[in-house]
């Protein structure tokens, strides 16, 4: 049993505010992913939870104890670092067993636990090697193995896959998630890759500029983004955001009339349409000039311009128009999102 | 690799050769003379015609060089060990911890490097005598334990050490001392070996300070002890003096060869990963 709670946690470095007011409860066994662009404070949040960075303000709780001021070595959490941070002078087995050695576990028991953990991540044959004799993927497995061997209260991952090539990354994320399900250990995972976040997380925390934008399940974030930032960050390709114009009290966007949807919205509104909601139909009022078509498999990405905004659509390959064509397009009315033009907040109309 | 043209190569080799010769020739002269019987010392030939070990026997029998050597070796080993321990601890603190006054303290360390010994020896000498340390090992070891250059070098090395290694060790449950011992030190072997050479040779060759603070066999080092063969009234006893000098230069050479191998080995095994 180990649940984690952040209570109004802040972190400032001199004048830089790295994390502002993080409130989050993580349930036992949950896999939570922090996602956001580089420099948004993900690593800092993780390091505060690990005890590697002091908390400027607020508290961090592990189960029923306040661990805000507890040193890292007493928190019983394990971390996988982006560059793996394997001890260069130790063999793989020594790397994995180091934490157990420090805890005074008897030698024979260490060897047994190291072997068991190594077999779980399929590196049993590498135990005598030095880190410099390993490939990137192997190092990453050793780093994961070093974390699981101790059976810690919480796993922490800081972009553990970002140094791997894309194919390896896809298999590795599945393996990490399967391993975590099997062990049932509460996990916090940091990444800048929204696909990693969507595919792995029970819950996602989207961050930007040190502030939480939205917390929710992957489906939640996809279907109900709280603001334009989340809408544009989640999904591949991201949601199209287009400005609205008001003429004589009638609202228009992407050549489509929205009538009078509340007077206060005039001019102060943007609309969002997911690329996969768009269909091409000649009798539709909206027109798009196609500038590029990318085939990504069964589907195509169609880039172009409509009503002064750049736009991307994701459609079946057979339905794709040709480059240079000007085509009509449409989308279901209930797939339209409205956002505040100033602060980007989602508007429910 | 840069390849020099033939004439330049020859010129370079001649230059280097003569440079090496000016250094090696006096050393050879010392070694040759140490094997000469008394009647050959001032004879014309540089090398002995009827070589003898008598000078070497004399230095141990007449001079008790063994005691001086023991003083030298023991104080040097203790001093170098102490210097390394202090420098590693200080450098680790400067590199790893944030604490008030860190910048000022480090500036003081750097400043200490600029002050010549000639300025400080007198006050230190007075302190030593007041403490009753005159003519003891303590006088040779303690005043020299702080080694600013070593602190500076180690700190620079530690600053380039990946932060994640410290973090990983903390997460694994290691205390700071444990991190230093089990994670940092094993990766500092090359620089520690290089420092050991420098510190050892520096200490071993020291002449002025032992001359000032030692007087008897209780603490006198071999480097000072060999002076007893210099005698203004009866004339210098050159044969045993040269023998003693030869013996005294051996330990520094041994240390150099041993640790140099360590350095090269580490660089070879680390350097190939490219
Ligand atoms: N040790 C530090 N000193 C000063 N500023 C820092 C430090 N660590 C991080 N920052 C700043 O805090 C912000 C968040 O950094 P970080 O948490 O590493 O972002 P992320 O992991 O999301 O890319 C950045 O603006 C970064 O420059
Ligand atoms: Mg980061």
């Amino acid at each position: 049993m180990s649940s984690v709670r952040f209570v109004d946690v802040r972190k400032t470095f001199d004048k830089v505010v790295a994390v502002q007011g993080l409130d989050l409860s993580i349930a036992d066994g949950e896999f939570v992913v922090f996602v956001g662009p580089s420099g948004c404070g993900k690593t800092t949040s993780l390091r505060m939870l690990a005890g590697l960075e002091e908390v400027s303000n607020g508290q961090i709780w592990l189960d029923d104890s306040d661990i805000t001021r507890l040193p890292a070595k007493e928190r019983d959490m394990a971390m996988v670092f982006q560059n793996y941070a394997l001890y260069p002078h130790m063999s793989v087995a020594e790397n994995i067993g180091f934490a157990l050695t420090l805890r005074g576990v008897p030698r024979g028991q260490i060897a047994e636990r190291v072997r068991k953990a190594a077999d779980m991540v399929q590196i049993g044959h590498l135990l005598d090697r030095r880190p410099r004799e390993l490939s990137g993927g192997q190092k990453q497995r050793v780093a994961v193995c070093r974390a699981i061997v101790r059976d810690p209260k919480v796993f922490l991952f800081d972009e553990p896959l970002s140094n791997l090539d894309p194919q390896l990354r896809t298999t590795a994320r599945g393996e990490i998630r399967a391993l975590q399900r099997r062990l049932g250990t509460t996990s916090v995972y940091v990444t800048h890759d929204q696909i990693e976040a969507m595919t792995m997380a029970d819950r996602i925390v989207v961050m930007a500029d040190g502030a939480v934008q939205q917390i929710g399940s992957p489906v939640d974030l996809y279907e109900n983004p709280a603001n334009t930032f989340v809408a544009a960050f989640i999904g591949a390709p991201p949601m199209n955001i287009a400005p609205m114009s008001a003429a004589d009290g009638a609202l228009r966007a992407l050549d489509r009339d929205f009538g009078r949807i509340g007077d206060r919205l005039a001019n102060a509104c943007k609309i969002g349409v997911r690329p996969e909601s768009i269909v091409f139909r000649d009798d539709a009022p909206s027109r798009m000039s196609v500038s590029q078509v990318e085939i990504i498999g069964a589907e195509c990405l169609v880039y172009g311009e409509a009503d002064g905004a750049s736009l991307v659509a994701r459609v079946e390959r057979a339905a794709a128009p040709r480059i240079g064509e000007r085509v009509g397009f449409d989308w279901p009315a209930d797939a339209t999102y409205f956002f505040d033009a100033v602060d980007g907040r989602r508007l429910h109309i | 690799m840069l390849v020099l043209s033939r004439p330049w190569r020859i010129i370079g080799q001649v230059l280097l050769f003569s440079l090496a010769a000016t250094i090696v020739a006096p050393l050879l002269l010392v070694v040759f003379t140490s094997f000469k019987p008394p009647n050959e010392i001032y004879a014309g030939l540089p090398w002995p015609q009827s070589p003898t070990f008598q000078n070497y026997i004399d230095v141990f029998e007449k001079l008790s060089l063994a005691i001086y050597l023991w003083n030298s070796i023991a104080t040097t080993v203790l001093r170098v060990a102490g210097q390394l321990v202090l420098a590693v601890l200080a450098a680790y603190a400067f590199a790893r911890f944030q604490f008030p006054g860190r910048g000022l303290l480090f500036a003081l360390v750097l400043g200490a490097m600029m002050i010549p010994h000639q300025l400080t020896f007198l006050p230190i000498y007075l302190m030593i005598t007041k403490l009753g340390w005159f003519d003891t090992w303590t006088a040779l070891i303690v005043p020299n334990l702080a080694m600013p250059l070593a602190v500076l070098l180690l700190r620079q090395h530690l600053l380039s050490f990946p932060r994640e290694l410290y973090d990983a060790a903390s997460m694994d449950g290691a205390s700071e001392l444990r991190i230093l011992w089990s994670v940092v030190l094993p990766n500092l072997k090359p620089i520690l070996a290089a420092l050991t050479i420098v510190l050892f040779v520096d200490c071993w060759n020291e002449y002025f300070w032992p001359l000032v603070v030692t007087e008897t066999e209780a603490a006198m080092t071999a480097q000072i002890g060999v002076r007893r063969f210099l005698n203004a009234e009866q004339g210098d006893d050159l044969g045993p003096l040269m023998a003693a000098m030869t013996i005294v230069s051996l330990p520094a050479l041994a240390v150099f060869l041993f640790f140099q191998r360590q350095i090269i080995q580490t660089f070879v095994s680390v350097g190939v990963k490219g």
Side-chain angles (χ1 to χ4, degrees):
Chain A
M1 269 301 289
S2 32
S3 56
V4 171
R5 198 150 50 92
F6 290 87
V7 183
D8 193 28
V9 172
R10 287 155 203 276
K11 176 71 192 183
T12 46
F13 294 105
D14 298 321
K15 290 197 187 78
V16 182
V17 180
V19 178
Q20 35 181 313
L22 175 61
D23 278 296
L24 172 68
S25 290
I26 301 171
D28 180 46
E30 202 179 7
F31 196 101
V32 168
V33 176
F34 283 59
V35 71
S38 172
C40 71
K42 311 176 296 284
T43 297
T44 307
S45 305
L46 194 74
R47 290 175 57 85
M48 285 192 288
L49 175 54
L52 298 171
E53 204 79 73
E54 269 182 46
V55 174
S56 308
N57 209 329
Q59 298 137 28
I60 300 177
W61 292 75
L62 180 64
D63 295 328
D64 298 325
S65 44
D66 181 349
I67 58 166
T68 313
R69 306 264 164 247
L70 201 65
K73 68 186 167 79
E74 288 163 33
R75 294 195 184 190
D76 198 15
M77 301 182 181
M79 187 152 167
V80 179
F81 295 86
Q82 182 169 4
N83 61 7
Y84 316 128
L86 302 179
Y87 311 119
H89 60 291
M90 295 185 196
S91 70
V92 167
E94 287 165 337
N95 262 283
I96 299 168
F98 187 55
L100 301 178
T101 311
L102 291 175
R103 277 171 181 68
V105 177
R107 256 166 199 253
Q109 223 174 312
I110 294 181
E112 191 184 311
R113 282 172 69 175
V114 166
R115 174 142 294 282
K116 224 177 105 198
D119 286 341
M120 257 198 255
V121 294
Q122 291 127 45
I123 52 164
H125 58 297
L126 301 175
L127 287 177
D128 295 329
R129 301 245 190 118
R130 296 277 152 150
R132 66 168 172 277
E133 297 160 355
L134 302 178
S135 71
Q138 291 170 332
K139 280 185 198 164
Q140 192 269 328
R141 280 162 190 268
V142 175
V144 169
C145 188
R146 188 169 66 174
I148 62 177
V149 74
R150 280 161 50 190
D151 192 17
K153 291 213 175 89
V154 183
F155 288 146
L156 308 173
F157 300 88
D158 189 359
E159 312 220 10
L161 307 182
S162 58
N163 287 345
L164 300 182
D165 58 67
Q167 278 187 359
L168 214 49
R169 211 179 296 167
T170 313
T171 41
R173 72 182 184 222
E175 285 172 3
I176 288 182
R177 193 59 228 268
L179 196 62
Q180 187 270 345
R181 282 216 176 85
R182 187 150 121 220
L183 300 169
T185 311
T186 312
S187 302
V188 182
Y189 187 106
V190 160
T191 179
H192 63 266
D193 179 352
Q194 62 95 12
I195 295 183
E196 233 168 84
M198 293 293 275
T199 50
M200 297 178 83
D202 289 325
R203 258 189 323 150
I204 298 177
V205 178
V206 183
M207 295 183 74
D209 292 332
V212 172
Q213 304 297 311
Q214 189 173 2
I215 300 174
S217 70
V219 174
D220 227 18
L221 297 191
Y222 179 78
E223 292 186 343
N224 295 305
N227 55 34
T228 47
F229 181 85
V230 177
F233 197 79
I234 300 291
M239 185 186 283
N240 298 297
I241 310 275
M244 262 197 174
S245 59
D248 308 328
L251 295 169
R252 282 176 69 79
L254 297 174
D255 302 326
R256 182 153 154 177
D257 283 324
F258 288 87
R260 300 180 150 274
I261 41 173
D263 286 340
R264 67 189 174 85
L265 295 175
N267 274 339
C269 188
K270 287 181 181 175
I271 69 157
V273 181
R274 291 235 174 251
E276 47 274 38
S277 306
I278 292 176
V279 288
F280 291 109
R281 259 185 29 209
D282 277 339
D283 57 344
S286 305
R287 296 271 141 190
M288 172 175 177
S289 314
V290 178
S291 60
Q292 199 188 339
V293 177
E294 284 176 3
I295 297 164
I296 54 168
E299 292 178 313
C300 274
L301 300 180
V302 180
Y303 296 86
E305 204 197 278
D307 197 10
S310 56
L311 202 69
V312 52
R314 180 169 178 163
V315 294
E316 297 276 315
R317 214 164 52 207
R322 275 199 295 273
I323 295 174
E325 261 187 292
R326 189 165 167 80
V327 288
F329 68 99
D330 198 4
W331 68 93
D334 61 0
T336 313
Y337 294 83
F338 297 94
F339 300 99
D340 187 304
V342 178
D343 62 13
R345 218 163 14 95
R346 170 93 181 272
L347 302 171
H348 293 273
I349 297 166
Chain B
M1 197 188 283
L2 185 69
V3 180
L4 291 174
S5 66
R6 203 181 155 77
W8 279 111
R9 208 160 62 220
I10 291 172
I11 292 175
Q13 274 164 348
V14 167
L15 262 173
L16 287 177
F17 234 100
S18 24
L19 209 64
T22 58
I23 295 168
V24 171
L27 295 180
L28 275 184
L29 208 61
V30 168
V31 175
F32 283 152
T33 311
S34 72
F35 288 104
K36 281 181 179 175
N39 61 335
E40 280 186 35
I41 298 274
Y42 293 103
L45 281 177
W47 53 84
Q49 273 157 316
S50 42
T52 167
F53 276 107
Q54 191 55 45
N55 292 326
Y56 286 86
I57 296 166
D58 279 355
V59 289
F60 283 102
E61 283 183 348
K62 288 189 198 157
L63 181 68
S64 46
L65 183 67
I67 291 179
Y68 297 136
L69 273 175
W70 167 238
N71 285 338
S72 272
I73 291 171
T75 56
T76 303
V77 168
L78 289 174
R79 173 169 143 182
V80 171
Q83 284 174 328
L84 286 175
V85 170
L86 277 186
V88 164
L89 289 174
Y92 188 72
F94 279 125
R96 175 125 167 86
F97 303 130
Q98 300 272 356
F99 53 88
R102 183 174 73 165
L104 181 72
L105 281 174
F106 193 66
L108 277 178
V109 171
L110 291 185
M113 234 165 35
M114 321 282 171
I115 303 173
H117 278 303
Q118 288 77 355
L119 267 176
T120 52
F121 96 90
L122 199 57
I124 294 178
Y125 172 79
L126 292 175
M127 255 157 46
I128 296 284
T129 48
K130 288 255 165 58
L131 287 166
W133 289 354
F134 182 76
D135 200 26
T136 63
W137 284 7
T138 320
L140 291 172
I141 297 169
V142 172
N144 295 302
L145 282 183
M147 200 61 194
L149 178 70
V151 176
L152 174 72
L153 279 177
L154 286 170
R155 187 190 85 120
Q156 292 316 108
H157 256 254
L158 287 174
L159 285 179
S160 62
F161 207 69
R163 178 176 79 161
E164 285 79 6
L165 283 183
Y166 296 118
D167 293 341
S170 296
M171 297 301 292
D172 273 345
S175 63
E176 285 300 331
L177 272 179
R178 188 62 199 238
I179 295 176
L180 177 59
W181 182 255
S182 298
V183 177
V184 176
L185 280 187
N187 290 299
L188 285 182
K189 273 184 191 160
I191 175 81
L192 286 178
L195 261 181
T196 305
I197 292 179
V198 172
L199 295 177
F200 190 98
V201 171
D202 184 50
C203 175
W204 188 259
N205 291 341
E206 195 160 55
Y207 190 80
F208 183 67
W209 184 248
L211 187 64
V212 172
V213 292
T214 64
E215 190 172 39
T216 67
E217 286 176 0
M220 190 175 281
T221 60
Q223 292 74 3
I224 311 302
V226 297
R227 278 169 45 89
R228 300 225 162 153
F229 291 104
L230 295 173
N231 190 319
E233 282 146 44
Q234 298 168 17
D236 301 339
D237 210 350
L238 280 184
L241 178 64
M242 296 302 148
M245 279 167 60
T246 307
I247 294 170
V248 167
S249 42
L250 289 180
L253 199 66
V255 164
F256 181 80
L257 290 178
F258 178 76
F259 283 100
Q260 185 211 32
R261 171 163 302 179
Q262 297 264 311
I263 295 173
I264 292 172
Q265 263 173 6
T266 330
F267 278 131
V268 166
S269 63
V270 171
V272 288
K273 78 173 171 189

